[in-house]
Amino acid sequence: MKETFYSFDLPCSLASLSDFHNSDPGPVLASLRQRRPQLIAIPGDFIKSEQAADGGSVLAGQPEILTLFEECVSVAPTFVSLGNHEWPLTAADYECIRRSGVILLDNSFQKLTISGIKLVIGGLTSAYVTECRRVELLPPEEQAAYKRSIGRRKHGLGRPQPAPETAWLSSYLSEEGYHLLLNHHPEYTSFLPGQPELVLSGHAHGGQWNYYSFRKRRPCGVWAPGQGLFPEYTSGFYGNMLVSRGLANTTVIPRFFNPEEIVYIYPENK
């Protein structure tokens, strides 16, 4: 895992931990304790999308996640949003997440003041999560058929991807302060009704295999879920959106020239 540093028009220092996928929290926590950011953001995909065998708690079988959350909170205020892998979470899991001390942003926002600056921090939930909640109201056989299709759809295969719920974003953007949005899917940019000052994303896993594009003058990826071949958004800044390469690899395909990363952003004047 590498540490990547950026400067941006931001009122505080921040760490972005995307796509943890129940990996080893040790290196991440060691980095956080050394760097001491003022804010920690976890923009989705902190679990592996595996339902519990008994239909119970998912987090009970993935204990590294709560360890990460609890230790992050001891470093700085920590905000979490939901990515596509979070679709199997149960009501018991959501309660465990909240008890860990992190602030869960589920198509919602919270206000926070740091160094006298008002921040409005929102979390846009993956459409796969919100659609699964609607499917829970269907007969069991229809639920099973839908959930079998999730594996293909979350990688941009099969039926078109669902759209996220964005009605709440108008209220969020109308609040006074610096707007920070945790938005796991970088391809959701077209759904945003306005532009927050800073958007944190992941999901693309850096494009899996990286090459340097002389035309774009930046590293580019070969494939990303939700974007397909030669994706537009893989890593780094795209205007006001920062896409992380993520902290884990969830496929059998190795990453080439594409290390896992923890991202730090510092105010431009510091």
Side-chain angles (χ1 to χ4, degrees):
M1 183 196 77
K2 67 175 289 190
E3 297 175 318
T4 305
F5 302 94
Y6 296 97
S7 294
F8 193 74
D9 182 15
L10 182 69
C12 64
S13 59
L14 178 152
S16 181
L17 317 178
S18 180
D19 299 275
F20 176 69
H21 293 298
N22 192 43
S23 54
D24 179 9
V28 177
L29 295 173
S31 175
L32 291 171
R33 291 174 185 136
Q34 180 183 11
R35 303 299 177 186
R36 308 299 299 186
Q38 294 172 281
L39 189 70
I40 298 172
I42 303 177
D45 274 15
F46 46 86
I47 75 167
K48 292 181 179 178
S49 55
E50 300 168 353
Q51 291 180 288
D54 58 359
S57 170
V58 174
L59 294 182
Q62 301 185 39
E64 290 84 356
I65 296 164
L66 292 179
T67 298
L68 175 74
F69 287 175
E70 291 165 359
E71 294 300 320
C72 281
V73 170
S74 72
V75 174
T78 302
F79 294 81
V80 177
S81 67
L82 301 173
N84 53 295
H85 275 255
E86 274 72 68
W87 65 267
L89 291 176
T90 65
D93 290 320
Y94 286 120
E95 182 58 30
C96 286
I97 291 170
R98 293 185 177 97
R99 284 204 305 266
S100 73
V102 303
I103 299 172
L104 178 61
L105 301 172
D106 183 2
N107 282 335
S108 61
F109 62 90
Q110 291 281 337
K111 300 176 185 178
L112 179 70
T113 300
I114 295 182
S115 302
I117 305 296
K118 294 180 181 179
L119 283 82
V120 189
I121 307 172
L124 180 60
T125 297
S126 172
Y128 293 103
V129 175
T130 51
E131 191 171 23
C132 275
R133 291 170 180 168
R134 289 191 290 269
V135 169
E136 293 296 334
L137 303 176
L138 298 175
E141 62 275 10
E142 293 184 39
Q143 291 184 34
Y146 171 78
K147 289 178 179 179
R148 283 195 299 270
S149 75
I150 286 178
R152 286 175 55 80
R153 294 179 64 197
K154 74 184 179 186
H155 294 301
L157 303 172
R159 292 167 51 199
Q161 295 189 75
E165 295 181 355
T166 58
W168 66 277
L169 287 170
S170 296
S171 296
Y172 159 71
L173 291 168
S174 68
E175 292 286 337
E176 180 184 357
Y178 186 100
H179 299 85
L180 171 65
L181 181 65
L182 281 61
N183 170 29
H184 180 69
H185 298 261
E187 67 272 21
Y188 282 1
T189 53
S190 61
F191 293 110
L192 303 183
Q195 287 298 317
E197 283 81 350
L198 177 60
V199 179
L200 299 176
S201 297
H203 190 53
H205 289 242
Q208 206 65 33
W209 296 355
N210 273 193
Y211 65 95
Y212 187 83
S213 170
F214 289 96
R215 181 175 64 85
K216 295 183 178 181
R217 298 182 180 179
R218 65 183 300 153
C220 292
V222 172
W223 183 87
Q227 299 182 69
L229 286 171
F230 304 108
E232 179 68 23
Y233 310 113
T234 56
S235 65
F237 267 102
Y238 301 85
N240 66 329
M241 178 174 68
L242 177 64
V243 182
S244 168
R245 296 176 184 273
L247 292 163
N249 185 28
T250 58
T251 73
V252 295
I253 302 171
R255 295 167 67 131
F256 288 119
F257 304 107
N258 177 28
E260 292 89 353
E261 69 176 357
I262 180 171
V263 172
Y264 291 98
I265 312 173
Y266 292 94
E268 289 181 331
N269 59 350
K270 292 186 180 180

